[in-house]
Amino acid sequence: MTTNPKKLAKPPEHPLDDLIRTERIPHIWCPGCGIGTVFSSCLSAIKATELPYNQFTMVSGIGCSARGAGYIKLDSFHTTHGRAIPFASGIKMARPDLKVIVFSGDGDLFAIGGNHFIHAARRNMDMTVICVNNLTYGMTGGQVAATTPNMAKSTTTPLGNPDSPFNLPLLAYAAGASYVARWTILQTRDLTTAINEAINHKGFSFIEVLSPCPINYGRRNKEKPIDTMKLYQDHTIIKHGANPAEADIDFGKGVVIGKFIHIDKSTCDDRYTEMHRPCIDD
Amino acid sequence: MAFWRVPLDTQEIQVTLGTVCIIDDRCKGCGYCIEFCPKDILQFSEKFNRKGYHPPIVTKEGECVNCHYCEIICPEFAIFSVESEPAETK
């Protein structure tokens, strides 16, 4: 059989194409948005665990980053605003064998869902929480969020944000999380390793990922996406085991990134099984 | 890459070679792969893709060392590299 030389060869397949719903790609994230990088890093980490894909489930709330659950070709749930963690806790209690990943944004996890976050961390629910922190409410038009830095401009604070932001690693540590890390999308390899470690870690794992929002944060603060990446390159300090209390986001003095906490603690489903299902071993 | 002195084992080091594959229609022209390629082998092309962005193009064919950084930094799943056979063994 002869082949037609003019006919184009089949387009090459991306190595992660088996984990994404390719019919939905290109995704809705803006040019220069870092959520896609975090998402692909998360997929690489899932792949690197070498566990079967039906052992994973992804839960997300509302927001730009929460669209991730719609693009992954696994069992995934797109829940109501702020309720990703309660939903994930329910999955974990019903099916303790599953690896539950919560992929959501800062507004969803820490503003409306803040209480759920601290209580899941207190109980040490065995799940991996990936928080894409773009320092603003991106999807609704760039309003001031709980993580917007002091004096940063937003739609609702045109003269600059008068308040100080949350220090997310400190919040997670104080609430009782057993794995806490922070990376930016520029340190992609470290981020993938951290997500892989967090998936394998038994206990509440929290990873904050700084990511540019060029349209709704960068534009109002005179930052092009490449400038934000340069900021991540020049004004971050990698310091493993650093005290989370020093990890506030202030690019003037340098943002501390790295793995802050990695300890072993008994998890919620272990304690529950021990108390209420003593005969489950057989 | 410029060295202040040539490493002693430079003859024995095998540098892997790669081929960059670009899926043009997924690209949104953020330029991260172009900016952060350690070998600076990518550039915006003149052509437009289906959405009206300029996808990257490989300018220095055969200089890719298959580090995969463009693949992992790309937010759009639009670029990746595969290992290619070295043309000749010296």
Side-chain angles (χ1 to χ4, degrees):
Chain A
M1 201 173 86
T2 51
T3 49
N4 183 354
K6 280 184 190 155
K7 195 175 169 189
L8 288 172
K10 205 172 160 239
E13 273 210 355
H14 193 277
L16 291 171
D17 268 4
D18 59 336
L19 265 173
I20 48 178
R21 294 177 202 260
T22 42
E23 71 277 10
R24 292 186 161 201
I25 302 287
H27 49 60
I28 60 151
W29 297 317
C30 311
C33 173
I35 300 169
T37 307
V38 186
F39 185 59
S40 89
S41 171
C42 179
L43 299 186
S44 311
I46 289 176
K47 217 167 199 182
T49 58
E50 295 180 348
L51 294 171
Y53 291 158
N54 62 6
Q55 290 290 302
F56 291 93
T57 177
M58 187 181 263
V59 185
S60 65
I62 295 294
C64 289
S65 32
R67 305 279 302 200
Y71 296 123
I72 190 169
K73 212 188 212 169
L74 299 175
D75 286 340
S76 56
F77 302 91
H78 196 163
T79 65
T80 43
H81 197 8
R83 274 61 184 164
I85 287 182
F87 202 91
S89 305
I91 296 175
K92 190 69 203 177
M93 293 317 276
R95 287 283 305 276
D97 56 314
L98 288 184
K99 299 270 184 199
V100 185
I101 301 169
V102 176
F103 187 90
S104 210
D106 53 312
D108 182 72
L109 285 172
F110 288 96
I112 189 165
N115 231 317
H116 300 302
F117 180 87
I118 57 174
H119 287 285
R122 172 178 64 84
R123 288 194 290 245
N124 202 18
M125 288 300 300
D126 182 15
M127 61 171 78
T128 305
V129 179
I130 300 166
C131 170
V132 183
N133 186 358
N134 55 10
L135 310 177
T136 189
Y137 282 109
M139 185 174 264
T140 52
Q143 290 84 1
V144 66
T147 44
T148 308
N150 191 12
M151 296 319 288
K153 292 191 176 69
S154 70
T155 323
T156 44
T157 56
L159 299 178
N161 177 22
D163 304 315
S164 53
F166 262 140
N167 177 351
L168 302 183
L170 178 62
L171 178 70
Y173 170 61
S178 52
Y179 183 101
V180 180
R182 172 197 273 155
W183 293 103
T184 76
I185 67 158
L186 192 68
Q187 288 91 9
T188 325
R189 280 186 215 278
D190 298 290
L191 173 63
T192 309
T193 318
I195 298 177
N196 191 355
E197 239 173 37
I199 291 173
N200 289 322
H201 174 73
K202 195 153 174 54
F204 191 87
S205 325
F206 171 66
I207 298 170
E208 179 193 3
V209 192
L210 295 178
S211 145
C213 177
I215 304 296
N216 274 326
Y217 181 82
R219 192 163 47 102
R220 294 195 171 83
N221 292 286
K222 308 272 179 287
E223 269 180 33
K224 294 243 182 307
I226 293 286
D227 300 339
T228 316
M229 297 294 262
K230 292 268 187 252
L231 205 63
Y232 293 162
Q233 196 167 21
D234 300 335
H235 292 87
T236 52
I237 306 154
I238 299 180
K239 203 167 158 191
H240 294 291
N243 182 0
E246 296 161 6
D248 47 336
I249 295 185
D250 180 357
F251 282 102
K253 67 171 193 190
V255 174
V256 181
I257 56 175
K259 182 168 84 177
F260 301 133
I261 308 287
H262 192 177
I263 47 174
D264 281 327
K265 278 207 255 183
S266 68
T267 62
C268 181
D269 56 297
D270 280 351
R271 291 191 301 265
Y272 187 84
T273 308
E274 207 175 297
M275 275 181 84
H276 300 287
R277 299 168 182 155
C279 303
I280 204 156
D281 289 340
D282 39 80
Chain B
M1 187 186 270
F3 295 111
W4 60 273
R5 85 171 163 75
V6 179
L8 295 173
D9 56 353
T10 188
Q11 299 301 320
E12 297 154 31
I13 300 290
Q14 284 259 315
V15 179
T16 51
L17 291 177
T19 316
V20 183
C21 303
I22 298 161
I23 308 172
D24 285 350
D25 285 335
R26 286 187 185 175
C27 179
K28 286 184 192 154
C30 66
Y32 288 167
C33 53
I34 297 166
E35 181 70 27
F36 294 107
C37 174
K39 302 293 277 183
D40 278 331
I41 63 164
L42 295 165
Q43 214 174 35
F44 282 115
S45 64
E46 291 294 308
K47 67 177 176 194
F48 292 97
N49 68 5
R50 203 188 295 165
K51 301 268 182 192
Y53 296 106
H54 294 285
I57 193 168
V58 181
T59 49
K60 299 174 197 162
E61 208 63 64
E63 285 200 20
C64 173
V65 291
N66 200 28
C67 74
H68 294 291
Y69 196 68
C70 54
E71 178 182 326
I72 58 175
I73 194 92
C74 177
E76 310 290 333
F77 305 98
I79 186 167
F80 60 97
S81 66
V82 286
E83 191 167 353
S84 59
E85 292 294 315
E88 70 215 50
T89 45
K90 286 173 193 170

